[in-house]
Amino acid sequence: MNGIIQNRRSIRKYQAGKPVTKEQLTQLLEAAMMAPSACNSRPWEFIAVTKREILDEIARIHPYAKMAEQASAAIIVVALPQEGTASGYFPQDCGAATQNILLEAVSMGLGTCWCGVYPTPEPMASIRKLFNIPESKIPFNVIVVGVPDETPAARGFFDASKVSYVE
Ligand SMILES: Cc1cc2nc3c(=O)[nH]c(=O)nc-3n(C[C@H](O)[C@H](O)[C@H](O)COP(=O)(O)O)c2cc1C
């Protein structure tokens, strides 16, 4: 296994004021758009945020994204449920894109926290309103991004009892 997967942890403390550059955000989004998707439908869009007031507003309206107050960026993954011929797969496609961002961030020395939005109605409504996302699209999650101010230990939850081998 490569160290990037092992070293990914949710980061909830960030070095305030340490910027995340537009180039870094673009690199993360290139990684996102390399994710597999059903029938290659790529049912996603991304909103990259570095505006301080908006990051603070995310922290205010999302009860579990308070760490956005210290972080320097966030990426909102927006799902396009009608895109392509395999529309029911959008949560898997957007999840794969999200995980690519999380892992690419580790390789860049950045920290992230995946903050769930879809399918919980309240954060969906408040994030939709904040970014003026139309009803045809779905606010899928908020990925908080920043320079970490904590280093949680690598860990794993490998559980052999959850695996069956067919040999
Ligand atoms: C769908 C999803 C939603 C999550 N929502 C939140 C959230 O709102 N706030 C938060 O702090 N962490 C959130 N997390 C992070 C999980 O709490 C975290 O991944 C889990 O506790 C395992 O810890 P680790 O990421 O450090 O390995 C979410 C993770 C996923 C996959």
Side-chain angles (χ1 to χ4, degrees):
M1 208 187 299
N2 71 51
I4 288 175
I5 290 174
Q6 286 145 318
N7 287 330
R8 187 214 56 80
R9 290 292 313 274
S10 295
I11 298 300
R12 299 189 177 90
K13 290 191 178 137
Y14 294 92
Q15 296 182 39
K18 281 269 181 80
V20 175
T21 65
K22 193 165 187 180
E23 289 69 28
Q24 286 175 312
L25 287 168
T26 301
Q27 184 173 333
L28 293 175
L29 295 171
E30 280 174 11
M33 292 190 228
M34 283 187 167
S37 64
C39 297
N40 198 19
S41 53
R42 303 188 298 278
W44 48 54
E45 287 178 356
F46 303 89
I47 304 171
V49 182
T50 50
K51 195 173 189 166
R52 184 72 263 154
E53 301 91 292
I54 301 295
L55 294 168
D56 291 345
E57 188 62 9
I58 290 170
R60 199 183 68 75
I61 64 177
H62 190 305
Y64 306 109
K66 298 295 173 213
M67 74 296 279
E69 265 177 5
Q70 308 151 2
S72 299
I75 295 171
I76 320 304
V77 179
V78 179
L80 312 179
Q82 275 118 37
E83 203 79 5
T85 52
S87 55
Y89 286 101
F90 76 84
Q92 296 171 63
D93 301 333
C94 289
T98 300
Q99 183 75 350
N100 272 15
I101 291 176
L102 269 47
L103 296 177
E104 183 69 6
V106 173
S107 79
M108 297 163 67
L110 293 172
T112 57
C113 191
W114 175 339
C115 297
V117 174
Y118 175 85
T120 310
E122 295 81 8
M124 281 178 70
S126 55
I127 295 292
R128 184 185 294 290
K129 188 163 174 229
L130 180 61
F131 293 101
N132 207 13
I133 297 168
E135 286 296 328
S136 58
K137 303 178 183 181
I138 294 176
F140 188 73
N141 63 30
V142 174
I143 306 171
V144 174
V145 183
V147 178
D149 199 21
E150 62 174 346
T151 316
R155 64 176 183 183
F157 297 99
F158 180 75
D159 179 349
S161 74
K162 294 193 174 183
V163 184
S164 359
Y165 293 96
V166 179
E167 296 172 314

